[in-house]
Amino acid sequence: LAKTTQPISMDSYEGQEVNITCSHNNIATNDYITWYQQFPSQGPRFIIQGYKTKVTNEVASLFIPADRKSSTLSLPRVSLSDTAVYYCLVGDMINSGYSTLTFGKGTMLLVSP
Amino acid sequence: DTAVSQTPKYLVTQMGNDKSIKCEQNLGHDTMYWYKQDSKKFLKIMFSYNNKELIINETVPNRFSPKSPDKAHLNLHINSLELGDSAVYFCASSQSEQASEAFFGQGTRLTVV
């Protein structure tokens, strides 16, 4: 299983762009990269998923370099409500699916006024 | 309507008791999961159930048994509760095992005293 490494915590201010990088040096050919957000006392919520290059949705962008050994979740113009834990997951979504996805410790993002 | 709902939200019980946590999803998904989040915030998959097949995580003690009366429900029964079982348990569902997004419930905080 590909292992991921993320910063334990990050601080930001409202209105700034936040980039959270995840390292996954042992990513396999069939592995996809998925990001989740978790607020206190709530279950994780899907943000974005990608395989290579760039993926964008209404919430965030995901940048994946050609070697796929890392990925960067980009949150544009964060607000106080973006304070949460962000998890990077890597797994074989083609053959094994969610059964093999492992949530690490995640990155605690604190957004201040 | 809540997509994935769990009951109860809080559960306090004594060691040695048997308890159940119920989960229901109204999304029409084929796959459901149980996750455990411990005090260190690690979120680990316990079971996935694909309407045809139950996939058991070998690290889960056999005191834990999932039961699925139909594909919209996946309940978790725990026998002979131990102090170390104290955690937040999350139910989740996805359209299939290979779906990009899983939807999580609000969690059940289990405290064993």
Side-chain angles (χ1 to χ4, degrees):
Chain A
L1 295 177
K3 184 177 177 180
T4 60
T5 303
Q6 310 172 228
I8 294 175
S9 63
M10 293 183 68
D11 295 324
S12 182
Y13 292 98
E14 283 189 291
Q16 290 189 330
E17 178 184 79
V18 171
N19 296 310
I20 306 174
T21 297
C22 178
S23 297
H24 26 80
N25 292 317
N26 297 323
I27 192 168
T29 303
N30 288 337
D31 286 345
Y32 279 67
I33 301 155
T34 310
W35 285 81
Y36 273 79
Q37 174 191 56
Q38 185 177 25
F39 298 113
S41 301
Q42 291 189 28
R45 185 176 70 127
F46 174 88
I47 300 175
I48 198 165
Q49 186 183 78
Y51 183 79
K52 62 180 180 181
T53 62
K54 177 183 175 183
V55 180
T56 297
N57 61 22
E58 64 278 5
V59 176
S61 294
L62 180 59
F63 298 92
I64 306 168
D67 66 5
R68 304 202 323 122
K69 292 183 182 299
S70 67
S71 59
T72 299
L73 175 72
S74 181
L75 305 172
R77 296 180 300 282
V78 294
S79 63
L80 297 177
S81 62
D82 291 318
T83 293
V85 178
Y86 292 82
Y87 295 96
C88 167
L89 294 77
V90 173
D92 183 353
M93 297 306 296
I94 295 176
N95 297 310
S96 307
Y98 265 92
S99 299
T100 59
L101 288 187
T102 301
F103 286 76
K105 281 190 174 182
T107 298
M108 175 65 217
L109 172 65
L110 176 62
V111 180
S112 301
Chain B
D1 285 341
T2 304
V4 181
S5 59
Q6 300 177 224
T7 54
K9 189 171 182 179
Y10 300 97
L11 183 54
V12 181
T13 188
Q14 291 185 325
M15 285 176 57
N17 284 350
D18 301 339
K19 290 293 179 184
S20 293
I21 306 172
K22 295 184 177 180
C23 178
E24 175 182 4
Q25 54 97 0
N26 62 6
L27 299 167
H29 288 168
D30 287 337
T31 307
M32 295 185 72
Y33 313 86
W34 276 107
Y35 284 82
K36 177 182 179 180
Q37 188 165 42
D38 60 25
S39 58
K40 296 183 179 179
K41 302 301 182 184
F42 281 113
L43 190 62
K44 298 180 182 178
I45 191 165
M46 301 174 68
F47 304 102
S48 64
Y49 199 102
N50 196 28
N51 199 30
K52 310 171 193 175
E53 183 181 350
L54 174 64
I55 301 171
I56 299 175
N57 186 316
E58 293 181 358
T59 65
V60 179
N62 57 15
R63 297 182 294 104
F64 290 79
S65 55
K67 298 189 192 309
S68 180
D70 54 63
K71 78 170 192 176
H73 297 84
L74 183 62
N75 304 323
L76 182 65
H77 189 75
I78 315 170
N79 290 327
S80 303
L81 279 155
E82 301 176 358
L83 293 177
D85 296 332
S86 296
V88 181
Y89 292 84
F90 289 98
C91 176
S93 74
S94 62
Q95 193 164 13
S96 68
E97 279 196 271
Q98 287 73 34
S100 59
E101 180 175 0
F103 294 79
F104 283 76
Q106 294 278 62
T108 296
R109 182 174 293 278
L110 171 64
T111 302
V112 182
V113 296

